[in-house]
Amino acid sequence: MKLEEAKILISDDSILARKQLKDVISDYGTPTFIETSNGQDAIDSYKTEKPDLVFLDIVMPVKDGNAAVREIREYDSKAEIIIVSSVGTQAQLRAAIEAGAKDFIQKPLHREQIHNIIVSRFEGR
Amino acid sequence: MYAQFFGNFLLSRDIITREQLLSAMEKKATRRIKLGTLAMHAGYMSANEVEHIKILQTHQDRKFGELAIESGILTKEQVDELLKAQVPNFLLLGEVLVDEGIIDNYQLETLVNEYESESDLYALEYDEDPREKIETMLKQYMQAADNNINEYELLYNVLLFNNLVRFIGEDFTPIYSTVCTEYPKNFCITQKITGPFDITLYIDMPESVCIAFASRYVGEDFEQFDEYVQASIEDFANLHNGLYCVNLSNTKNVELQLMPPEIVSDPVLMFEHQAFLMPIIFPFGSVNFIFELNDKNI
């Protein structure tokens, strides 16, 4: 799939973190971005928008990222979900993978990590 | 590096006031250090000799280095070495204070010697682990402030200093922390860590300081106090607290839970548990860190 045709859901309670992630991804193409700021909204948006890739923060209000991963994966077992978190402990990593996340990125974001995720899933411009 | 405590050292000796320190730090940010100050710090010149060359400069329109070489005080090699050397941050601060007439070169020479020997700076500069050095200096700082904090809280502060250096800049001075029961806030965000003990961090500063802090943190020139600036302060707290959770999990086998950061809406903060206020002065203004600690008898 071309990145231009993709829908990417970014869920993070920080508007800055969402912007930084969008800025990096936009260097490779212009997908449609869907943004939410808590786990429950991420689940709801997933069901209505059916995005091709999801970036989820763990520490979020209302419902945290791991709970959101579980619910999204229950709804769609093929959901491609990447956890992006400042808390990269082994326990968190394990919990995210057990919940069904495909990858785990620790903040602050490094361009190469995003690069690898994008180019392994989408064709560029 | 390791210069962060020099301003604090001067404050504790009542050499300068907090206002003088803030003003000197603002001026320091935009200036270059003088050769005489560097030569004095390197032990190549005494305060007396620096004053002598400065007097010569009032008679002859020539460079300080040239006159010092001609007077036989410095060699050309020493001048070249000094010009290439990295300037210790605290020397610049000292030099501004001399130029402002708050202290003279003789006092600066003595104060720098005392500061370096008290904090064991010479030995520290060549040490290989900066974390250990900062820990040593912070311990001294906390003890001097008479704050009884446990091992975990000390690690929290050491990491905060490292993160300020890494993400904001090393040109800051911490003011001795004080116990705080209530606090009228400016713009303030908070984030709580819970587990075997709780730490609630508050970061508070005026809006204009937020803009400068956020600009440094994100690496963009923010011009107004908008939602991105506010999110930057929360993001810094989140990054710091996240790293702290990782460190404690990796090194102490302590698992902590991080709550989402929030903007504080109450005009006055009231603390349920023991809280410390630690202002950190940057050239762009004062950033106030408050730590509310509930050690749950660990």
Side-chain angles (χ1 to χ4, degrees):
Chain A
M1 177 186 258
K2 289 197 163 152
L3 183 56
E4 312 289 325
E5 293 157 11
K7 273 189 190 174
I8 297 181
L9 169 63
I10 299 176
S11 188
D12 196 310
D13 54 332
S14 164
I15 187 175
L16 177 75
R18 297 200 302 268
K19 179 182 180 295
Q20 287 175 327
L21 189 51
K22 280 193 298 178
D23 286 350
V24 176
I25 296 171
S26 298
D27 284 348
Y28 301 96
T30 47
T32 304
F33 289 113
I34 305 138
E35 294 181 50
T36 65
S37 57
N38 69 62
Q40 186 57 52
D41 286 350
I43 298 164
D44 296 343
S45 289
Y46 189 90
K47 291 177 179 172
T48 53
E49 301 286 344
K50 308 278 189 315
D52 304 291
L53 180 62
V54 182
F55 288 95
L56 276 181
D57 183 20
I58 291 183
V59 179
M60 284 194 289
V62 187
K63 192 167 270 182
D64 74 23
N66 282 339
V69 176
R70 272 192 297 277
E71 285 197 37
I72 291 172
R73 294 275 295 185
E74 273 169 27
Y75 173 79
D76 176 3
S77 60
K78 292 194 173 123
E80 288 278 311
I81 306 172
I82 314 289
I83 288 286
V84 184
S85 174
S86 60
V87 191
T89 62
Q90 289 300 315
Q92 284 288 10
L93 181 66
R94 221 174 14 249
I97 300 299
E98 277 169 12
K102 289 283 170 72
D103 216 333
F104 188 105
I105 300 175
Q106 188 172 345
K107 292 177 183 173
L109 293 180
H110 291 287
R111 182 168 288 271
E112 310 82 68
Q113 292 172 309
I114 309 299
H115 169 89
N116 293 340
I117 286 165
I118 296 298
V119 299
S120 65
R121 288 171 170 80
F122 304 106
E123 292 168 42
R125 284 191 174 97
Chain B
M1 192 86 169
Y2 323 121
Q4 285 79 14
F5 297 91
F6 186 58
N8 195 273
F9 168 83
L10 297 174
L11 280 176
S12 68
R13 297 279 180 106
D14 289 328
I15 308 282
I16 54 171
T17 64
R18 198 168 147 172
E19 289 69 33
Q20 285 172 329
L21 175 63
L22 187 55
S23 156
M25 287 188 67
E26 276 170 22
K27 293 186 173 119
K28 169 175 89 71
T30 55
R31 64 184 283 153
R32 294 182 61 189
I33 197 151
K34 293 173 184 165
L35 191 64
T37 310
L38 276 179
M40 213 161 70
H41 178 245
Y44 294 158
M45 291 179 86
S46 64
N48 228 344
E49 287 168 331
V50 171
E51 289 303 318
H52 170 68
I53 300 296
K54 277 168 71 181
I55 291 167
L56 285 182
Q57 275 189 300
T58 62
H59 303 150
Q60 305 173 49
D61 182 23
R62 293 177 61 196
K63 287 183 181 164
F64 186 95
E66 282 174 21
L67 289 170
I69 293 169
E70 200 173 280
S71 307
I73 300 170
L74 293 179
T75 64
K76 181 159 185 322
E77 290 70 34
Q78 284 171 327
V79 171
D80 289 344
E81 177 201 318
L82 292 172
L83 290 174
K84 273 187 237 153
Q86 210 181 353
V87 180
N89 209 336
F90 64 92
L91 268 193
L92 258 177
L93 178 64
E95 194 181 88
V96 172
L97 296 173
V98 171
D99 287 355
E100 296 287 301
I102 296 163
I103 57 173
D104 60 30
N105 261 325
Y106 299 97
Q107 280 174 290
L108 177 61
E109 191 181 24
T110 313
L111 287 166
V112 165
N113 284 340
E114 283 175 14
Y115 171 63
E116 290 187 324
S117 66
E118 262 189 29
S119 49
D120 210 7
L121 258 171
Y122 284 121
L124 290 172
E125 293 216 22
Y126 301 101
D127 201 298
E128 277 177 8
D129 184 5
R131 198 165 289 263
E132 224 170 82
K133 292 168 215 167
I134 292 182
E135 208 168 303
T136 308
M137 293 190 80
L138 255 178
K139 255 184 209 161
Q140 290 173 354
Y141 163 80
M142 290 293 180
Q143 278 160 4
D146 205 20
N147 290 339
N148 291 318
I149 58 169
N150 66 34
E151 179 196 0
Y152 299 121
E153 291 151 3
L154 178 66
L155 288 173
Y156 190 83
N157 280 286
V158 171
L159 180 68
L160 177 65
F161 274 62
N162 277 317
N163 284 335
L164 286 171
V165 170
R166 278 167 69 194
F167 298 112
I168 311 298
E170 59 180 78
D171 52 344
F172 64 85
T173 294
I175 305 297
Y176 280 135
S177 55
T178 48
V179 173
C180 187
T181 50
E182 57 178 59
Y183 178 85
K185 70 166 184 64
N186 299 282
F187 172 74
C188 184
I189 65 99
T190 182
Q191 188 172 33
K192 187 173 186 176
I193 298 175
T194 63
F197 57 91
D198 297 346
I199 299 181
T200 307
L201 170 69
Y202 297 85
I203 307 179
D204 172 87
M205 59 193 112
E207 291 181 4
S208 61
V209 179
C210 285
I211 296 170
F213 186 94
S215 297
R216 283 193 177 196
Y217 177 58
V218 179
E220 282 182 32
D221 281 333
F222 291 114
E223 283 172 5
Q224 51 190 359
F225 182 73
D226 59 14
E227 54 189 347
Y228 290 104
V229 167
Q230 296 179 23
S232 304
I233 315 297
E234 289 183 296
D235 209 77
F236 176 81
N238 198 45
L239 185 73
H240 166 66
N241 284 328
L243 282 171
Y244 181 68
C245 293
V246 174
N247 283 357
L248 254 64
S249 172
N250 290 346
T251 62
K252 306 283 177 193
N253 226 2
V254 172
E255 295 300 330
L256 298 163
Q257 275 259 314
L258 190 57
M259 301 292 120
E262 288 170 32
I263 294 171
V264 179
S265 53
D266 296 336
V268 179
L269 303 176
M270 309 283 274
F271 304 105
E272 209 180 311
H273 304 285
Q274 188 168 42
F276 297 104
L277 165 67
M278 183 170 69
I280 303 268
I281 298 185
F282 278 96
F284 54 79
S286 183
V287 181
N288 300 310
F289 290 87
I290 300 168
F291 316 98
E292 187 179 7
L293 312 169
N294 179 7
D295 61 18
K296 299 180 181 171
N297 301 317
I298 51 162

